[in-house]
Amino acid sequence: MFRRTLFSDEHEIFRDSVRRFVAEHVAPYHDRWERDGQISREAWLAAGKHGILCPALPEELGGAGADFLYSAIIIEELSRVGASGPGFYLHSDIVVPYLVNYGSAEQQQRWLPKMITGERIGAIAMTEPSAGSDLQSIRTTARREGDQFVINGQKVFITNGQLADVVIVACKTDASAGAKGVSLIVVEREHEGFRRGRNLEKIGYKAQDTSELFFEDVRVPVGNLLGGEGRGFVCLMEQLPQERLIQAIRCIATIEGVLEWTTDYVEERQAFGRPLSAFQNTRFVLADVKAQATMMRVFVDRCIEMHLAGELDAVDAAIAKLLSSEMMGDLLDRCLQMFGGYGYMWEYPIARAWADARMARIAGGTCEIMREIIGRSMFGNKERAS
Ligand SMILES: Cc1cc2nc3c(=O)[nH]c(=O)nc-3n(C[C@H](O)[C@H](O)[C@H](O)COP(=O)(O)OP(=O)(O)OC[C@H]3O[C@@H](n4cnc5c(N)ncnc54)[C@H](O)[C@@H]3O)c2cc1C
């Protein structure tokens, strides 16, 4: 059996505490959050109180200064039980790194303390109704007027969109400059002209809020610009390896969780006077799932190791996201089959996990864009896809 070698005893102690947090503060409420279309603010505050938010934030910025493995543990423990509602990973490991890496000391002081406690929730808004994969073509504009930017435009499919207080918005500060005209500007809940649209109805991730956002003459101080004017696209590209690794970590942890549930089910469920696990087909199908999951686990752990060493590049991360998301779709489908009609019933976690899984092949860069990135790296075409 392969044994994971990444984690120390301290990491495992932390994992136990995350498991307890999930059992106490997430699992009992997840059904209600699905009906509400979002998780509660109390859950965010509880996560802050238990050290579940922003563990990797450096100590000098008020965080625990932990390594990325602590983030990985939180992501794994939520994924393992199918808790897709909390967008903690997006807040802690996608939004906050922009503030850490590109924010000034003043900006960090302004936003981070309340993001550690869960009082302020983060989101990142890139996608628009007419531009998703092709980020250079976004139309949201930020016009400079004195010491303010005036933002106009619209975003769609934004995770944490209903709850978010601090939103990093990709805008065009120079509409004629393509990628070099993209800037990142922080818009806060209180800014006049910033409005949320519908909480979008999705086929999965029902406990996670995903929204349209509207910006009508939103005036923000120039001090809300992150990373410099025209540098937005570069910043986005720099952050993508970690974002895509996170997706891969979620995929493999979900596969492992679902394999456990399925193994338990086929041992209990009887047909023709025997447990399902007594049929050779059941054992063969689950043996295939186990074999592929083991291979993916080794690969994703190696990617985590490379990321810790600062060696994971955009192509490696694209490979991890592409393969793990496609594998998850395939393996969860095979597991669902083992549940028969119950697998199609929403009250069964396998049904929810199967519906949730479809998202991984689209969000955070589609599989086709992952193939573009990998393909371009092979043939010397340096033109970049997001
Ligand atoms: C649940 C959910 C949460 C999300 N959260 C966020 C978020 O928090 N923030 C955010 O900014 N966005 C978010 N997104 C948006 C997501 O990142 C986009 O949906 C994704 O990047 C695809 O963009 P699109 O939907 O515009 O599809 P399009 O770009 O229109 O793509 C449509 C199809 O064309 C294919 N295609 C496009 N270009 C090429 C090409 N060059 N070669 C081959 N095929 C191509 C695509 O792969 C896809 O199959 C979320 C999406 C979902 C579903």
Side-chain angles (χ1 to χ4, degrees), residues 45 48-49 53-54 57-58 60-63 91 96 99 104-121 166:
L45 294 172
K49 195 166 148 211
L53 300 178
C54 318
L57 195 65
E60 61 274 19
L61 296 177
H91 170 93
V96 163
L99 304 178
S104 64
E106 185 277 321
Q107 290 174 327
Q108 290 165 346
Q109 272 313 310
R110 193 148 40 111
W111 293 311
L112 289 175
K114 289 193 171 174
M115 294 181 82
I116 301 169
T117 59
E119 289 163 275
R120 302 285 277 179
I121 297 167
V166 177

Side-chain angles (χ1 to χ4, degrees), residues 4 17 90 138 150 154 176 372:
R4 299 184 74 186
S17 77
L90 185 111
I138 57 169
V150 184
Q154 180 180 347
S176 63
E372 273 294 313

Side-chain angles (χ1 to χ4, degrees), residues 114-344:
K114 289 193 171 174
M115 294 181 82
I116 301 169
T117 59
E119 289 163 275
R120 302 285 277 179
I121 297 167
I124 180 156
M126 300 172 276
T127 307
E128 301 186 352
S130 60
S133 304
D134 182 13
L135 270 183
Q136 300 183 27
S137 301
I138 57 169
R139 294 184 186 165
T140 297
T141 56
R143 191 178 72 248
R144 179 93 186 238
E145 273 188 20
D147 57 0
Q148 292 183 323
F149 282 110
V150 184
I151 303 176
N152 279 287
Q154 180 180 347
K155 299 289 176 179
V156 73
F157 307 148
I158 306 308
T159 302
N160 294 344
Q162 293 289 308
L163 287 165
D165 306 289
V166 177
V167 184
I168 300 175
V169 183
C171 305
K172 276 278 173 79
T173 39
D174 181 350
S176 63
K180 290 189 178 131
V182 176
S183 302
L184 301 179
I185 300 179
V186 175
V187 174
E188 294 168 78
R189 171 173 285 279
E190 298 76 14
H191 282 129
E192 218 171 294
F194 170 36
R195 189 167 62 77
R196 282 145 233 273
R198 288 177 301 141
N199 191 6
L200 300 167
E201 263 191 57
K202 306 182 292 294
I203 60 174
Y205 274 80
K206 291 194 181 281
Q208 192 170 92
D209 49 319
T210 308
S211 306
E212 299 170 305
L213 303 178
F214 298 97
F215 306 89
E216 283 167 31
D217 287 328
V218 181
R219 289 181 175 272
V220 303
V222 286
N224 281 27
L225 176 72
L226 269 186
E229 199 165 324
R231 289 207 68 252
F233 204 76
V234 174
C235 300
L236 291 168
M237 294 304 114
E238 283 173 359
Q239 294 307 305
L240 282 176
Q242 172 156 316
E243 292 175 28
R244 290 178 177 154
L245 174 61
I246 287 169
Q247 301 293 350
I249 294 170
R250 298 172 74 207
C251 291
I252 181 58
T254 302
I255 294 169
E256 289 168 342
V258 166
L259 178 57
E260 262 182 57
W261 314 338
T262 312
T263 308
D264 290 345
Y265 184 80
V266 297
E267 282 182 327
E268 275 172 27
R269 175 77 177 171
Q270 301 273 326
F272 300 95
R274 298 194 284 168
L276 296 180
S277 58
F279 297 114
Q280 189 184 51
N281 177 65
T282 304
R283 295 201 304 271
F284 276 17
V285 168
L286 294 187
D288 280 346
V289 174
K290 170 86 179 171
Q292 291 202 46
T294 303
M295 184 180 65
M296 183 55 66
R297 166 52 69 205
V298 173
F299 177 64
V300 172
D301 275 5
R302 174 69 186 129
C303 288
I304 296 174
E305 198 174 44
M306 286 167 68
H307 186 53
L308 288 167
E311 291 167 0
L312 188 80
D313 67 19
V315 176
D316 301 324
I319 293 171
K321 182 177 188 285
L322 171 66
L323 291 184
S324 62
S325 61
E326 292 200 334
M327 185 181 281
M328 175 167 70
D330 175 32
L331 299 187
L332 264 56
D333 197 71
R334 293 201 230 172
C335 286
L336 186 148
Q337 188 71 13
M338 293 289 131
F339 286 78
Y342 295 100
Y344 200 69

Side-chain angles (χ1 to χ4, degrees), residues 66-93:
D67 59 40
F68 178 74
L69 291 171
Y70 287 82
S71 298
I73 287 169
I74 297 166
I75 296 163
E76 286 177 5
E77 291 306 313
L78 286 163
S79 304
R80 207 177 53 81
V81 298
S84 58
F88 299 156
Y89 66 93
L90 185 111
H91 170 93
S92 304
D93 304 306

